[in-house]
Amino acid sequence: MMKPKALVLPRESMLKQVCSEECKQLIESAFNPVWNDKGCDLTEEELSELVEDAEIILTSWGSPILTDAMLEKAVKLRAIGHAAGTVKKRMPREVFDKGVRVYSAANRIAQSVGEHCLAVLLTIMKRLPAFNAEIRQHNWKATGQKGRELAGSTVGIVSASSTARAFLKLLAPFKVNVLLYDPYLSEEAADKLHVRRASLEEVMSCPVISIHAPALPATEQMITRDLIALIPDGAYLVNSSRGAVFDEEALIEELGTGRFAAALDVFVKEPIRQDHPFLQMSNVLLTPHIAGASIEGHLALMYAVVQDMLAGFAGQPTSYEVTERMWETMA
Amino acid sequence: MMKPKALVLPRESMLKQVCSEECKQLIESAFNPVWNDKGCDLTEEELSELVEDAEIILTSWGSPILTDAMLEKAVKLRAIGHAAGTVKKRMPREVFDKGVRVYSAANRIAQSVGEHCLAVLLTIMKRLPAFNAEIRQHNWKATGQKGRELAGSTVGIVSASSTARAFLKLLAPFKVNVLLYDPYLSEEAADKLHVRRASLEEVMSCPVISIHAPALPATEQMITRDLIALIPDGAYLVNSSRGAVFDEEALIEELGTGRFAAALDVFVKEPIRQDHPFLQMSNVLLTPHIAGASIEGHLALMYAVVQDMLAGFAGQPTSYEVTERMWETMA
């Protein structure tokens, strides 16, 4: 049997980050690959010339977008695998009409985000940066302040997205009570996740809060000034979804009072501007939108979509496939 | 039935840290308590005058030590509950000859240590302090460096102590491979913990290493210069047991090269001296011997020993009891 022709679009510097040696071997053995040896990303024109006989297209960050015109030409195209996150702005929705199957590594990235959320939450609850700084300033236990324990506490979660589910898995041995707000989550699904469905007001009143809402028009500024005011004194807030989910001006004001702590990975405008008030706040742990980024997590992305694509071709169940039904509610 | 007379020794400022309201009520309902309302710790002389008709003694950090002479006088003593860690230097071993049952909250503290170990490990693996500092210096993703993922990695653990077991529970959803060195751990016990028994050399060669050895003459400087040299480049080392477990001079030299990262909570001499080389190292996260300390963890200590003591009196199995058989190998 002829092996399907696969365009592997990531430039070499990106490919080595998202495609392990094992994955390269898998691509060589399962496909007839055309590697991008240009030393940089292809232009749309270059891709347009190649799509005609492509059966598979593998992409990642920086790869050119698949346009309507390309889709018309790509008569042999059977599957697209995106070794990165969202695919929504990378191709026309009409790919599904053409019978093209679409795979995205977003759920693999979600695992990294889950780990990040637990990491930053424990870091701020245990005041690790403060202890580290105090020791270096020769203040051994000077403040008498103690860290907090996560085990047994109540955690409020906004949205049962894939990043929230990854976070929940890691929270399991901490035996926390979880209140979860998600208008699409059924009672039955909540039971399976061992969470209790709650209103956004209840979730924002928890002593520990983590935001996992997808970036959609419906979620923009969903965490309003009034909701931010509900966050209890001494609480811990984690946001690893999107900055625009918050009324950021209201968040700046409330965090500026120092009455609760936060770990923020995302901001309305990124990179964060040099005079942003967050940069002066000691009760905020800042990271530059890297919750989904880790060496091992990135290196697993291409493998996840290629393996899943092969499962799909073999008529087996898939884990990373994007279907037309998911298009509306996904980021 | 007459309720047993209980001396509750912690001074008020300590009691409110280690004894919850719920625990105070339990003590009032189960015992005939004598609270320490002196405003400070009792002296040995003051305790000596009280022990004669005490059936129960409850202690914590700062409480006077039970001497041989007191033990002779304490003819009614049935149980000692220590709402803190080690009891070994707090009473003569002869308490067991007198039929006194001993309870320590060390295993409850171990839970806090387990959380701390995961917290600091994730913090250094994800380079959170570095990202936080870089953003504030207006270097958004300037270095291009990524954090690491803990899930799926190999973790080497020294000693199957209670803190190691608490840490292992929290590691479960990360699906890590664990190599564990403990000369007292049977093959069967290792299987139950889902770890593989390994030599100290194998454990110290892992990409992630956590030290949980108890403070005993046999563990002093057990991590020698040669073992420290085995730690791989790019590894992550956590020590939350005792500083003296390491050849600290050799550790200073190796960490000084920057070839691996560490999170250290304990040091040969504490507080750490003001010119200690660790204070100048950016690849080391420092905390002031607080792995076992958290607000919630401390507040649970007295309850743990009192509840367990009541279980013991009722002939039920106990979780926090210290027996004479444990005396040799415990810290």
Side-chain angles (χ1 to χ4, degrees):
Chain A
M1 199 174 87
M2 280 277 285
K3 291 194 283 190
K5 184 165 177 182
L7 301 181
V8 190
L9 297 187
R11 62 186 185 278
E12 202 188 333
S13 63
M14 179 59 70
L15 194 72
K16 74 178 183 193
Q17 293 182 59
V18 299
C19 182
S20 60
E21 281 306 315
E22 187 187 8
C23 183
K24 279 183 192 161
Q25 286 166 21
L26 181 64
I27 290 171
E28 289 281 4
S29 73
F31 305 140
N32 178 19
V34 179
W35 303 94
N36 172 4
D37 53 9
K38 232 189 98 189
C40 60
D41 288 316
L42 299 192
T43 62
E44 284 196 10
E45 291 67 36
E46 286 168 327
L47 176 57
S48 189
E49 282 168 30
L50 291 168
V51 289
E52 210 154 354
D53 60 348
E55 291 166 80
I56 287 151
I57 299 177
L58 299 175
T59 59
S60 186
W61 289 286
S63 303
I65 283 166
L66 192 80
T67 62
D68 291 302
M70 288 184 208
L71 185 60
E72 283 305 315
K73 282 178 72 179
V75 290
K76 295 185 179 173
L77 190 61
R78 296 168 59 194
I80 301 169
H82 186 48
T86 178
V87 294
K88 217 168 168 176
K89 289 170 181 164
R90 303 199 53 83
M91 62 193 70
R93 185 171 175 161
E94 287 67 32
V95 287
F96 298 109
D97 301 333
K98 304 281 184 184
V100 176
R101 295 178 76 167
V102 179
Y103 300 82
S104 150
N107 280 352
R108 180 60 187 80
I109 292 176
Q111 291 179 39
S112 300
V113 175
E115 243 194 61
H116 173 91
C117 291
L118 183 63
V120 294
L121 176 58
L122 288 172
T123 299
I124 59 177
M125 290 187 80
K126 303 209 169 286
R127 62 189 304 280
L128 297 177
F131 278 126
N132 186 44
E134 286 159 13
I135 286 194
R136 286 165 201 261
Q137 290 147 19
H138 312 305
N139 289 320
W140 178 275
K141 285 187 185 173
T143 68
Q145 282 194 71
K146 294 175 192 169
R148 302 285 300 275
E149 205 151 273
L150 174 57
S153 71
T154 296
V155 179
I157 289 184
V158 175
S159 178
S161 63
S162 55
T163 66
R165 288 163 197 260
F167 183 40
L168 284 171
K169 275 187 193 167
L170 301 182
L171 282 177
F174 288 89
K175 316 268 185 218
V176 291
N177 303 310
V178 180
L179 304 191
L180 198 149
Y181 168 74
D182 188 324
Y184 298 100
L185 188 74
S186 70
E187 193 72 42
E188 199 190 343
D191 286 347
K192 275 190 192 158
L193 288 173
H194 304 290
V195 304
R196 185 164 78 70
R197 287 193 300 172
S199 69
L200 197 45
E201 287 73 16
E202 283 176 284
V203 166
M204 296 305 295
S205 303
C206 288
V208 176
I209 303 163
S210 191
I211 311 295
H212 298 266
L216 290 170
T219 63
E220 200 159 322
Q221 299 219 24
M222 74 182 285
I223 312 294
T224 61
R225 181 175 291 272
D226 287 351
L227 287 166
I228 295 167
L230 293 178
I231 299 174
D233 288 359
Y236 299 91
L237 170 71
V238 175
N239 186 14
S240 59
S241 63
R242 284 294 181 276
V245 168
F246 275 84
D247 176 340
E248 198 177 77
E249 281 310 309
L251 185 61
I252 289 167
E253 281 174 38
E254 287 279 0
L255 277 172
T257 68
R259 66 175 192 82
F260 61 91
L264 305 177
D265 186 54
V266 287
F267 311 92
V268 167
K269 192 171 180 320
E270 297 174 4
I272 196 169
R273 61 175 207 266
Q274 299 209 357
D275 64 343
H276 197 295
F278 286 155
L279 302 185
Q280 303 305 323
M281 295 180 190
S282 62
N283 55 326
V284 184
L285 179 74
L286 299 167
T287 48
H289 201 147
I290 47 76
S294 72
I295 292 173
E296 291 81 3
H298 276 179
L299 209 51
L301 296 179
M302 188 68 90
Y303 192 86
V305 292
V306 170
Q307 205 187 33
D308 210 46
M309 189 182 286
L310 295 173
F313 289 160
Q316 291 160 8
T318 56
S319 309
Y320 294 98
E321 191 165 3
V322 174
T323 62
E324 190 169 14
R325 197 178 51 80
M326 295 157 68
W327 209 255
E328 294 299 338
T329 55
M330 74 181 197
Chain B
M1 201 175 84
M2 281 278 283
K3 292 194 282 189
K5 184 167 178 182
L7 301 181
V8 190
L9 297 188
R11 63 186 185 277
E12 203 188 333
S13 62
M14 178 59 70
L15 195 72
K16 73 178 183 194
Q17 293 183 57
V18 299
C19 182
S20 60
E21 281 307 315
E22 187 187 8
C23 182
K24 279 183 191 159
Q25 286 167 22
L26 180 63
I27 290 171
E28 288 283 4
S29 73
F31 306 140
N32 178 19
V34 178
W35 303 94
N36 172 4
D37 54 7
K38 233 189 96 187
C40 60
D41 289 313
L42 299 192
T43 62
E44 285 195 11
E45 291 67 35
E46 287 168 327
L47 176 57
S48 189
E49 281 168 31
L50 291 168
V51 290
E52 211 153 354
D53 60 349
E55 292 165 80
I56 287 150
I57 300 178
L58 298 174
T59 58
S60 186
W61 289 286
S63 302
I65 283 166
L66 192 81
T67 62
D68 291 302
M70 288 183 207
L71 185 61
E72 284 304 316
K73 282 177 71 179
V75 291
K76 295 185 179 174
L77 190 61
R78 296 168 59 194
I80 301 170
H82 185 49
T86 179
V87 294
K88 217 168 169 177
K89 289 170 184 164
R90 301 199 55 81
M91 61 193 72
R93 185 171 175 162
E94 287 66 33
V95 287
F96 298 110
D97 301 334
K98 305 280 184 185
V100 176
R101 295 178 75 169
V102 178
Y103 299 83
S104 150
N107 280 352
R108 180 61 186 81
I109 292 176
Q111 291 179 39
S112 300
V113 175
E115 241 194 64
H116 173 90
C117 291
L118 184 63
V120 294
L121 176 58
L122 289 172
T123 298
I124 58 176
M125 289 187 80
K126 304 206 170 291
R127 63 190 304 281
L128 297 177
F131 278 126
N132 186 44
E134 285 159 13
I135 287 194
R136 287 165 200 260
Q137 290 148 18
H138 311 306
N139 290 320
W140 177 275
K141 284 187 187 175
T143 67
Q145 283 194 68
K146 294 176 192 169
R148 301 285 300 274
E149 205 151 274
L150 174 57
S153 71
T154 297
V155 179
I157 289 184
V158 175
S159 178
S161 65
S162 54
T163 66
R165 287 162 197 261
F167 183 40
L168 284 170
K169 275 187 192 165
L170 301 182
L171 282 178
F174 289 89
K175 315 270 185 220
V176 290
N177 303 309
V178 180
L179 304 193
L180 198 148
Y181 167 74
D182 189 323
Y184 298 101
L185 189 73
S186 69
E187 192 71 42
E188 200 189 342
D191 286 349
K192 274 189 193 161
L193 288 173
H194 303 291
V195 303
R196 184 165 78 71
R197 288 193 300 172
S199 68
L200 196 45
E201 286 74 14
E202 283 177 287
V203 165
M204 296 306 294
S205 303
C206 288
V208 175
I209 302 161
S210 190
I211 311 295
H212 298 266
L216 290 171
T219 63
E220 201 158 319
Q221 298 219 25
M222 73 182 284
I223 313 293
T224 60
R225 180 175 292 271
D226 287 350
L227 286 167
I228 295 167
L230 293 178
I231 299 173
D233 288 359
Y236 299 91
L237 170 71
V238 174
N239 187 14
S240 60
S241 63
R242 284 295 181 274
V245 167
F246 274 85
D247 176 342
E248 197 177 76
E249 281 310 309
L251 185 62
I252 289 167
E253 282 174 39
E254 287 279 3
L255 277 171
T257 69
R259 65 177 193 83
F260 62 90
L264 304 178
D265 187 52
V266 287
F267 310 93
V268 167
K269 192 169 177 325
E270 297 175 5
I272 195 169
R273 61 175 207 265
Q274 299 209 357
D275 63 345
H276 197 294
F278 286 154
L279 301 185
Q280 303 305 323
M281 295 181 191
S282 61
N283 56 325
V284 184
L285 179 74
L286 298 167
T287 48
H289 201 145
I290 49 74
S294 72
I295 291 173
E296 291 81 2
H298 276 180
L299 210 50
L301 296 180
M302 188 68 92
Y303 192 85
V305 292
V306 170
Q307 207 188 30
D308 209 47
M309 189 182 286
L310 294 173
F313 289 160
Q316 292 160 7
T318 56
S319 309
Y320 294 97
E321 190 165 4
V322 174
T323 61
E324 191 170 14
R325 198 177 51 80
M326 296 157 67
W327 208 256
E328 295 298 340
T329 56
M330 75 183 198

